[in-house]
Amino acid sequence: MATVIAVDAMGTDRAPKPEIEGALLAVRKHDVEVLLVGREEQLRSELGPNPDPRIRIANATEVISMDEKAAAAVKSKRDSSMRVGLRLVRDGVAQGFVSAGNTGAAMATAKIVLGGIPGVDRPALAAVFPTAKGTPCIMLDVGANVDCKPQNLEQFAVMGEIYYRATFGNERPRVGILSVGEEESKGNELTRAAYPLLKQLSLNFVGNVEGRDLYNGQVEVIVCDGFIGNVALKVSEGLVSTVTTMLRSYIQANWTRKLGYIMARGAFKEFKKRLDYSDIGGAPLLGVKGVCIIGHGSSNASAIKNAILVAAEAVERGVNHIIEQELAALRAAGSHA
Amino acid sequence: MATVIAVDAMGTDRAPKPEIEGALLAVRKHDVEVLLVGREEQLRSELGPNPDPRIRIANATEVISMDEKAAAAVKSKRDSSMRVGLRLVRDGVAQGFVSAGNTGAAMATAKIVLGGIPGVDRPALAAVFPTAKGTPCIMLDVGANVDCKPQNLEQFAVMGEIYYRATFGNERPRVGILSVGEEESKGNELTRAAYPLLKQLSLNFVGNVEGRDLYNGQVEVIVCDGFIGNVALKVSEGLVSTVTTMLRSYIQANWTRKLGYIMARGAFKEFKKRLDYSDIGGAPLLGVKGVCIIGHGSSNASAIKNAILVAAEAVERGVNHIIEQELAALRAAGSHA
């Protein structure tokens, strides 16, 4: 039986078009079925008279917009596309959920509707970054938890390592703590307290890493509190956007440059694609009971397709089941120590 | 009388060449004299028989290397080029100091030798970033203080704003707190506690800003604790390095692209120059009694020249005196509240 992924059809800035097109791309590419969650009438008219049978619609009358405050929206909108989609996962109708809507609302709704995996005190959002070596690097948490305890970072390390292994096929991903120097003594109160906890785990722990290691391919899994992770993610997004804008303006300064650009265009396309976060598809929210992938509001159809495939793979590889097992083993070992 | 700047001649990775050449460029460009601090014999032989009279040498027998632990090196090497250079400032022989050596050691030595400006609990290192709008943005602290209190952020805001006004000629620079959302309620414990303190200051306070605002030119002065600032700085450096490496490899993939690159080369040069932190010259350590500019270890002669000019300007504009006055006024206002 094909994996069923519920997709928030009202999430992106141009919803529901990218969601519908992304769903079509996904079902053609992988053995997956999609439940588009949103305003039924609108979705039915956009889908047309003879939709692909692998794409169905689940009605949700409300939409949480990008600029709504997460806490209030989650409380008041009980029939939002996020809530309905996550209920489908909780009730076993779907196995995974994808949303490119309001990140804060999606995380809060997932925690309420799905609940946490036993052993996880706080779920974490993991962002995937491209590196100079071509291998991805994941960093968690990037926004779910602003003030963290050392135990949270320990659990982020376990979850992130499992997710990396299951998703990117690296048997011994290197795990590091984001800090301001390599020595164990460097860092703030949180990282210094987390260091010995991570050292005890049976992970490929490489100690502290620095901001520049996010992109050099020297480490695969980086843990940090959600405040620092969110800042690092947004600094990166801001810099990429500035860099591409600058380069474009310099190139358009005269005709020789423009012609040169046309000849070297392929290089720029590859470059842009490589830096394009949408190509990665979305950030998994790890630690909730069910697969939940959160995409960027500016996602296009290809990004939605990738997010659906990422969700389907996480389901098929049983990522959550493995996280639950390994955390239980960790607690058992801890109780005998 | 010309301003005298003491320059750590043993700081950069290729010392003392960039320091000597940078000093020569600086004295030709601005009414400034340079005291090169380092191993006298080596410097004398590099300078040649008839050196520019505006460049003199101050002997220091020891060198703190890049990979030495700051605390131990500062303690054991009493005759390091950093220590001797900063003593020259303390004793009034020079008015400012520039080093592109071990950042931690330079900051620690400056704090010990110069001491703090009254009213400053902790000096802060301010990094200067290029933005999409062409105006610079400064962020502090980027590494001097790992765990901060709300009062530290308040003082960083005052110092950063004064430095920006004095250096970049903007009368009302916008000041923001680096956080994970714009609302006052967003952020971690530190930023939420600092927000009301900054709101009370007579600054152009714009509230919380996010990581992406570092590069978009929407804010001129960003305050944060030294841990987050250091991570943001290093993430940026890492990303810029990865981006330029990637672009180069894509361009060299075939002959059409290479030829196109040659034609559009000017655009790349401008692009690289704009992103090049060395063009900015160095990061001021604000809050110590004396002007102290810390450059990157990879600084070339042009970067050293710029750092010397930045130091001379800070001296000539009386930045430290203004910081002391405004903090005293702030304390006086506080005591009457």
Side-chain angles (χ1 to χ4, degrees):
Chain A
M1 223 174 68
T3 305
V4 179
I5 305 297
V7 174
D8 173 2
M10 318 308 283
T12 65
D13 303 335
R14 293 170 298 122
K17 276 218 176 339
E19 284 85 347
I20 291 175
E21 286 167 26
L24 276 166
L25 294 171
V27 300
R28 284 176 200 152
K29 177 116 183 181
H30 191 85
D31 185 21
V32 67
E33 288 180 20
V34 173
L35 268 168
L36 287 171
V37 188
R39 295 196 184 102
E40 189 168 3
E41 262 182 72
Q42 187 185 354
L43 294 176
R44 206 161 290 289
S45 96
E46 295 267 0
L47 264 177
N50 292 305
D52 190 303
R54 292 165 294 185
I55 298 177
R56 286 167 295 146
I57 294 168
N59 189 40
T61 56
E62 290 175 304
V63 174
I64 297 176
S65 69
M66 280 297 177
D67 44 15
E68 273 183 89
K69 297 208 172 180
V74 170
K75 214 171 161 186
S76 66
K77 294 186 171 170
R78 298 301 178 112
D79 201 44
S80 71
S81 52
M82 284 179 191
R83 195 140 190 157
V84 172
L86 284 158
R87 274 194 212 122
L88 291 170
V89 177
R90 182 196 63 193
D91 299 341
V93 179
Q95 285 84 53
F97 176 70
V98 166
S99 176
N102 184 314
T103 303
M107 291 190 298
T109 308
K111 285 193 236 176
I112 293 167
V113 175
L114 301 177
I117 290 177
V120 178
D121 294 320
R122 296 205 196 173
L125 191 64
V128 186
F129 294 84
T131 75
K133 292 208 173 164
T135 51
C137 174
I138 71 170
M139 181 168 71
L140 68 166
D141 175 47
V142 297
N145 308 285
V146 157
D147 289 298
C148 283
K149 297 202 172 72
Q151 289 76 7
N152 300 134
L153 261 55
E154 183 187 17
Q155 294 167 11
F156 296 170
V158 172
M159 295 194 292
E161 201 259 358
I162 293 168
Y163 184 81
Y164 199 98
R165 260 194 282 143
T167 310
F168 302 114
N170 176 331
E171 277 306 306
R172 287 289 284 166
R174 289 163 291 187
V175 180
I177 299 174
L178 186 59
S179 188
V180 295
E182 286 176 11
E183 304 89 3
E184 183 167 350
S185 62
K186 286 283 177 77
N188 59 14
E189 274 180 38
L190 174 67
T191 66
R192 287 196 304 267
Y195 196 109
L197 298 182
L198 267 78
K199 216 160 115 179
Q200 283 172 19
L201 298 174
S202 58
L203 300 177
N204 189 1
F205 179 55
V206 295
N208 287 335
V209 299
E210 295 191 69
R212 60 168 179 261
D213 296 313
L214 198 48
Y215 290 99
N216 65 13
Q218 297 292 331
V219 58
E220 281 77 36
V221 179
I222 298 179
V223 298
C224 57
D225 73 58
F227 185 88
I228 191 103
N230 188 271
V231 168
L233 177 66
K234 295 217 174 131
V235 163
S236 296
E237 288 179 351
L239 183 54
V240 166
S241 150
T242 299
V243 155
T244 46
T245 309
M246 271 186 195
L247 198 53
R248 197 178 307 130
S249 80
Y250 292 142
I251 280 166
Q252 287 172 344
N254 65 47
W255 280 103
T256 325
R257 287 184 185 179
K258 277 189 203 169
L259 186 60
Y261 168 72
I262 291 167
M263 295 173 75
R265 186 162 52 183
F268 291 97
K269 281 198 178 153
E270 278 182 53
F271 173 71
K272 249 195 104 180
K273 194 174 149 62
R274 185 76 169 278
L275 286 178
D276 192 353
Y277 295 89
S278 79
D279 215 49
I280 280 155
L285 181 65
L286 299 176
V288 291
K289 272 192 242 160
V291 167
C292 178
I293 306 293
I294 300 177
H296 205 282
S298 64
S299 292
N300 57 17
S302 165
I304 296 289
K305 174 205 72 184
N306 288 329
I308 295 170
L309 299 184
V310 164
E313 280 182 16
V315 170
E316 287 150 21
R317 287 167 183 175
V319 168
N320 281 357
H321 185 61
I322 307 174
I323 289 176
E324 190 171 340
Q325 279 184 322
E326 297 204 8
L327 284 173
L330 194 67
R331 284 202 311 284
S335 68
H336 293 108
Chain B
M1 221 173 69
T3 305
V4 180
I5 304 298
V7 174
D8 174 4
M10 318 307 281
T12 65
D13 303 334
R14 293 170 297 120
K17 277 219 173 342
E19 283 86 348
I20 291 175
E21 287 166 24
L24 276 166
L25 294 172
V27 299
R28 283 175 201 154
K29 175 113 185 182
H30 192 84
D31 185 22
V32 68
E33 290 180 21
V34 173
L35 268 167
L36 287 171
V37 188
R39 295 199 182 100
E40 190 168 2
E41 264 183 69
Q42 187 185 354
L43 294 176
R44 208 162 290 289
S45 97
E46 295 267 1
L47 263 177
N50 292 305
D52 190 304
R54 292 165 295 186
I55 298 177
R56 286 167 294 147
I57 293 169
N59 189 38
T61 56
E62 291 175 304
V63 173
I64 297 176
S65 69
M66 279 296 176
D67 44 14
E68 272 183 272
K69 295 206 173 183
V74 170
K75 213 172 162 183
S76 66
K77 295 186 172 171
R78 297 301 177 114
D79 200 44
S80 71
S81 52
M82 283 179 191
R83 194 141 190 152
V84 173
L86 284 158
R87 275 195 211 120
L88 292 169
V89 177
R90 181 195 63 194
D91 299 340
V93 179
Q95 285 82 54
F97 176 70
V98 166
S99 176
N102 185 317
T103 303
M107 291 190 298
T109 308
K111 284 192 235 178
I112 292 168
V113 175
L114 301 177
I117 290 177
V120 177
D121 294 318
R122 298 207 195 169
L125 191 64
V128 186
F129 294 84
T131 74
K133 292 207 173 165
T135 50
C137 173
I138 71 170
M139 180 168 70
L140 69 166
D141 175 47
V142 297
N145 307 284
V146 157
D147 288 298
C148 283
K149 297 203 172 70
Q151 288 76 5
N152 300 132
L153 261 55
E154 183 187 17
Q155 293 168 11
F156 296 169
V158 173
M159 296 194 291
E161 201 259 356
I162 293 168
Y163 184 81
Y164 199 98
R165 259 193 284 143
T167 310
F168 303 113
N170 176 331
E171 276 308 305
R172 286 290 283 166
R174 288 163 291 188
V175 180
I177 299 173
L178 186 58
S179 188
V180 296
E182 287 175 12
E183 303 88 4
E184 183 166 350
S185 62
K186 286 283 177 78
N188 60 14
E189 274 180 38
L190 174 68
T191 66
R192 286 195 304 267
Y195 195 109
L197 298 181
L198 268 78
K199 217 161 116 178
Q200 283 172 19
L201 298 174
S202 59
L203 301 176
N204 190 0
F205 178 55
V206 295
N208 288 334
V209 299
E210 296 190 67
R212 60 166 180 260
D213 297 313
L214 198 48
Y215 291 99
N216 64 12
Q218 297 292 331
V219 60
E220 283 76 37
V221 179
I222 299 178
V223 297
C224 57
D225 72 59
F227 184 88
I228 192 104
N230 188 272
V231 167
L233 177 66
K234 295 216 173 130
V235 163
S236 296
E237 289 178 352
L239 183 54
V240 166
S241 149
T242 299
V243 155
T244 45
T245 309
M246 271 185 196
L247 198 53
R248 197 178 307 129
S249 81
Y250 292 142
I251 279 165
Q252 287 172 344
N254 65 49
W255 281 103
T256 324
R257 287 184 185 180
K258 277 189 203 166
L259 186 59
Y261 168 71
I262 290 167
M263 295 173 74
R265 188 161 52 185
F268 291 96
K269 281 197 179 152
E270 279 183 53
F271 172 71
K272 248 195 107 180
K273 193 173 149 66
R274 185 75 169 278
L275 285 178
D276 192 355
Y277 294 90
S278 78
D279 214 49
I280 281 156
L285 181 64
L286 299 176
V288 289
K289 271 192 244 161
V291 167
C292 177
I293 307 291
I294 301 177
H296 205 282
S298 64
S299 291
N300 56 19
S302 164
I304 296 290
K305 175 204 73 183
N306 288 330
I308 294 170
L309 299 184
V310 164
E313 280 184 15
V315 170
E316 288 150 19
R317 288 171 182 172
V319 168
N320 280 358
H321 185 63
I322 307 174
I323 289 176
E324 191 171 340
Q325 280 184 320
E326 296 205 6
L327 283 173
L330 195 67
R331 283 203 311 284
S335 68
H336 293 106

